[in-house]
């Protein structure tokens, strides 16, 4: 299945971020001051006064393969919790197949995932079968190891059969400063396709929050990204 991103919630807005900056003078808001929020936010971001942006927070639920999960984990200025194969046997066996492999086939006729299968199989078919075999071995291994080493050790070690394209669920929260950094690094041509798509989905979700609470912040971030 495809990777998936949902927005679980958010805190703050352009106004909350602006008020955080205005704490240095006065947080009292007038209509005239409200009308200057867009300009203020643009100036703060442009000039690197970034701490007020930590007062806005976005929180996502992400179903993704292990490679993207590792990319998410690299971002230390975030808060992440994930489904754990140490604590439960992963029963669902969710996995990801790259869409862009489409018709590409294995060029080695002697290399087949099953003994009597067709020659030159599609790589998507090979990966699917390999993943399914890994999942079969995983569950059987849990069952066979448990009587000797106990359920806990069985789960945490049998997971070595799970493949890199296995999908797990994580919830991850960024403040708007670290979200901007995440977007800059991961919604970039240098980042892997899968994490790029996750970053783009996150951006789209925040952009389409009803009432556009982060309209000026997103514009400022976008402007610096060019
Ligand atoms: C294209 C690409 C290729 C990559 N390749 C690899 C790779 O081959 N191997 C690998 O291990 N990683 C790799 N990474 C991950 C990368 O090294 C970072 O770990 C990851 O992008 C998180 O970036 P970050 O530190 O800016 O984010 P965060 O950890 O969220 O930090 C956000 C910001 O906080 C500040 N900050 C955080 N911690 C500190 C600190 N200790 N000291 C000072 N300032 C801090 C920095 O300004 C930082 O930019 C790659 C990333 C990208 C985008």
């Amino acid at each position: 299945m495809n990777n998936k991103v949902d927005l679980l919630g958010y805190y703050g807005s352009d106004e909350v971020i602006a008020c955080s900056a205005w704490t240095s003078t006065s947080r009292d808001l007038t209509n005239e001051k409200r009308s200057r929020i867009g300009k203020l936010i643009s100036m703060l971001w442009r000039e690197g006064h970034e701490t007020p942006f930590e007062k806005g927070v976005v929180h996502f639920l992400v179903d993704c393969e292990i490679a993207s999960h590792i990319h998410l984990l690299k971002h230390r200025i975030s808060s992440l919790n994930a489904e754990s194969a140490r604590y439960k046997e992963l029963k669902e066996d969710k996995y990801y197949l790259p869409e862009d492999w489409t018709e590409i086939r294995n060029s080695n006729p002697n290399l087949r995932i099953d003994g009597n299968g067709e020659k030159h199989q599609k790589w998507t078919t090979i990966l699917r079968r390999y993943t399914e075999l890994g999942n079969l071995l995983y569950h059987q291994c849990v069952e066979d190891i448990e009587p000797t080493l106990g359920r806990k050790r069985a789960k945490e070690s049998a997971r070595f059969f799970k493949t890199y394209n296995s999908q797990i669920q994580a919830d991850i929260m960024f403040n708007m400063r670290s979200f901007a950094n995440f977007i800059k690094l991961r919604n970039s041509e240098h980042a892997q396709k899968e994490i790029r798509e996750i970053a783009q989905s996150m951006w789209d979700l925040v952009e389409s929050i009803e009432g556009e609470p982060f309209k000026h912040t997103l514009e400022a971030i976008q402007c610096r990204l060019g």
Side-chain angles (χ1 to χ4, degrees):
M1 64 198 264
N2 288 335
N3 290 333
K4 186 166 168 279
V5 185
D6 289 314
L7 181 71
L8 288 173
Y10 70 94
Y11 166 78
S13 61
D14 292 333
E15 187 172 297
V16 167
I17 290 166
C19 277
S20 175
W22 275 325
T23 306
S24 58
T25 50
S26 161
R27 293 178 61 94
D28 293 341
L29 279 175
T30 58
N31 285 340
E32 187 277 326
K33 259 176 115 175
R34 275 205 177 88
S35 72
R36 286 195 276 123
I37 286 177
K39 257 186 149 172
L40 174 72
I41 288 206
S42 164
M43 182 275 285
L44 292 171
W45 193 250
R46 199 176 54 244
E47 297 190 1
H49 184 15
E50 295 181 354
T51 46
F53 294 90
E54 296 169 17
K55 299 345 190 278
V57 169
V58 283
H59 187 194
F60 304 95
L61 189 67
V62 184
D63 286 281
C64 68
E65 24 62 44
I66 303 297
S68 294
H69 183 68
I70 293 170
H71 294 320
L72 291 174
L73 283 170
K74 293 277 183 176
H75 291 264
R76 297 158 291 178
I77 313 301
S78 68
S79 174
L80 183 146
N81 284 85
E83 199 175 358
S84 168
R86 274 200 75 207
Y87 296 120
K88 69 168 194 184
E89 185 176 346
L90 297 172
K91 301 269 191 198
E92 284 181 81
D93 295 333
K94 296 173 288 182
Y95 60 88
Y96 171 83
L97 296 174
E99 286 169 358
D100 50 352
W101 286 7
T102 55
E103 297 298 316
I104 303 170
R105 288 179 184 268
N106 169 27
S107 61
N108 182 346
N110 301 316
L111 185 63
R112 278 175 266 168
I113 191 78
D114 49 8
N116 49 10
E118 57 173 326
K119 288 180 184 174
H120 304 296
Q121 292 166 313
K122 280 196 233 171
W123 274 108
T124 359
T125 309
I126 296 172
L127 181 57
R128 182 167 48 74
R129 291 192 182 154
Y130 180 72
T131 308
E132 285 167 358
L133 176 62
N135 286 333
L136 274 176
L137 294 170
Y138 165 66
H139 294 297
Q140 191 61 52
C141 187
V142 170
E143 199 179 314
D144 293 345
I145 286 181
E146 188 177 344
T148 312
L149 297 181
R151 179 100 180 127
K152 182 171 172 290
R153 182 62 188 148
K155 283 181 297 179
E156 72 183 12
S157 55
R159 66 177 161 167
F160 294 133
F161 283 108
K162 296 292 280 186
T163 44
Y164 226 73
N165 64 338
S166 299
Q167 288 171 311
I168 56 167
Q169 188 167 76
D171 81 296
I172 183 163
M173 188 183 258
F174 300 95
N175 63 53
M176 292 310 278
R177 186 184 192 185
S178 62
F179 184 58
N181 182 58
F182 175 80
I183 293 292
K184 179 183 80 182
L185 294 171
R186 301 302 182 178
N187 198 4
S188 144
E189 58 175 321
H190 305 296
Q192 181 168 338
K193 181 179 181 295
E194 283 76 16
I195 192 71
R196 217 163 59 219
E197 288 169 357
I198 289 169
Q200 181 65 52
S201 297
M202 288 178 173
W203 179 272
D204 293 343
L205 284 163
V206 176
E207 201 171 38
S208 56
I209 299 174
E210 206 178 323
E212 300 180 279
F214 295 109
K215 180 174 186 287
H216 298 299
T217 300
L218 295 183
E219 279 170 6
I221 294 169
Q222 185 88 70
C223 193
R224 204 202 275 176
L225 290 174

